[in-house]
Amino acid sequence: MEQNEQLHIGCHLSSAKGYLAMGKAALSIGADTFQFFTRNPRGSRAKAIDPEDAQALFRMLKENHFATILAHAPYTLNPASENPKVRAFALATIADDLQRMEYTPGQMYNFHPGSHVGQGMQTGIRLIAEALNRTLRAEQTTTVLLETMAGKGSEVGGRFEELAAILSQVELSDKVGVCLDTCHVYDGGYDIVHDLDGVLAEFDRIVGLSRLKAVHINDSKNPMGSHKDRHEKIGQGSIGTEAFARIINHPALRELPFYLETPNELPGYAEEIRLLRQQYRLRKH
Ligand code: FE
Ligand code: FE
Ligand code: ZN
């Protein structure tokens, strides 16, 4: 922990100009962490990693006391597909990404668990756990996170029970955790606006709060339980500013890194970070 208690917050950044450029962009908007796609989010191609650029970023993160950064897998991956080729592609991508992550050791890698596409939830859960058991390595320093989903279509991970079931089937248990997306859980039917304590108690009972490693902080364009997954700017959606103040200050969440994935460019993100930092209360000692 840092001496000076502060909100750890950043946003999703483009990796188009390289790794160090993302660190600089984060600094320029008052962030102390960020998220990025390991490769084109819709495709498969990943630029070869530039080890010097990755090392320069890594030094910059340490010098500026950044919180853990978060890589996001392409969201088109589906390790729960009924098609063996689609599953094989997901496995190969995750394995390759995890190798790349070792250029910036000790960070986190988030992925959408997948969609069972009609095979049934239990089969989906089994295939996702299998994908992790085939790609996680005892020697890796990266923590892999399953993202909470909105429960759109046949998505796996819209219920805490589904995430818990995946985690229970993963052999290298200390390599995996959960990233809670506020828009997704709200759209999934968890009332973080009126009963944040209750939702987090439920998460603790079913998954365990020790598994929670990161928060995607997004407002939602749709009402609770809509299963839609459309992000909105902080304070402009159905979750609202007051709920976000409670979320960032909640004892179970306040020390975690928060990542904005709101529809913004850098100036909009800078403003959201500034506003959320204003809402962060120092803990009374
Ligand atoms: Fe995501
Ligand atoms: Fe997210
Ligand atoms: Zn989303």
Side-chain angles (χ1 to χ4, degrees):
M1 269 309 291
E2 293 299 322
Q3 287 273 313
N4 291 327
E5 208 173 273
Q6 65 157 351
L7 176 64
H8 298 302
I9 187 162
C11 64
H12 188 90
L13 293 172
S14 162
S15 61
K17 290 178 183 158
Y19 274 39
L20 182 60
M22 292 190 286
K24 288 180 174 170
L27 274 184
S28 79
I29 57 171
D32 70 342
T33 184
F34 62 89
Q35 174 179 270
F36 65 104
F37 283 124
T38 52
R39 61 189 71 220
N40 182 331
R42 298 198 158 273
S44 58
R45 300 283 287 277
K47 275 194 296 193
I49 204 159
D50 173 351
E52 280 177 24
D53 184 33
Q55 279 160 20
L57 170 67
F58 193 64
R59 280 196 302 275
M60 202 225 86
L61 299 178
K62 299 291 153 197
E63 281 162 13
N64 292 281
H65 309 288
F66 268 50
T68 316
I69 60 168
L70 181 58
H72 196 306
Y75 42 72
T76 48
L77 295 190
N78 189 10
S81 172
E82 82 292 7
N83 181 339
K85 281 185 186 157
V86 174
R87 291 202 301 272
F89 174 71
L91 257 70
T93 303
I94 293 171
D96 183 51
D97 280 350
L98 288 177
Q99 283 193 356
R100 299 157 66 90
M101 291 299 292
E102 292 302 318
Y103 285 97
T104 52
Q107 310 304 310
M108 301 188 290
Y109 177 72
N110 173 72
F111 77 107
H112 296 181
S115 293
H116 65 69
V117 287
Q119 301 175 95
M121 194 53 80
Q122 292 316 312
T123 301
I125 287 166
R126 182 179 55 74
L127 289 170
I128 294 160
E130 196 177 296
L132 287 168
N133 286 331
R134 290 189 181 180
T135 48
L136 298 178
R137 294 284 169 264
E139 59 276 15
Q140 76 183 49
T141 64
T142 305
T143 302
V144 174
L145 306 183
L146 299 161
E147 182 166 352
T148 60
M149 302 310 293
K152 217 177 359 158
S154 68
E155 261 174 10
V156 182
R159 303 292 310 169
F160 297 159
E161 287 83 354
E162 294 158 16
L163 298 172
I166 298 168
L167 292 170
S168 75
Q169 294 176 34
V170 173
E171 285 147 21
L172 294 172
S173 192
D174 62 320
K175 304 292 181 195
V176 285
V178 172
C179 173
L180 185 140
D181 186 306
T182 55
C183 169
H184 297 179
V185 293
Y186 194 60
D187 285 15
Y190 292 99
D191 194 354
I192 54 173
V193 174
H194 301 101
D195 189 20
L196 180 61
D197 281 337
V199 171
L200 291 173
E202 187 173 344
F203 184 94
D204 193 32
R205 194 170 63 246
I206 295 166
V207 181
L209 280 168
S210 64
R211 292 284 194 179
L212 189 54
K213 307 292 185 192
V215 180
H216 281 166
I217 182 166
N218 305 306
D219 214 328
S220 173
K221 285 192 194 292
N222 292 289
M224 189 182 78
S226 60
H227 302 291
K228 286 275 207 265
D229 188 2
R230 302 268 322 275
H231 301 188
E232 182 53 282
K233 293 176 182 166
I234 299 298
Q236 296 185 26
S238 55
I239 298 177
T241 313
E242 283 174 32
F244 284 112
R246 288 191 290 273
I247 287 166
I248 60 173
N249 286 294
H250 194 283
L253 306 177
R254 55 179 289 122
E255 289 175 13
L256 295 174
F258 291 86
Y259 306 88
L260 291 156
E261 300 174 309
T262 46
N264 273 306
E265 303 294 328
L266 279 185
Y269 280 132
E271 183 61 10
E272 286 184 338
I273 290 169
R274 196 182 66 77
L275 287 171
L276 288 165
R277 287 201 186 288
Q278 273 179 6
Q279 307 275 349
Y280 194 65
R281 291 184 284 278
L282 295 185
R283 209 200 310 257
K284 295 173 204 86
H285 290 284

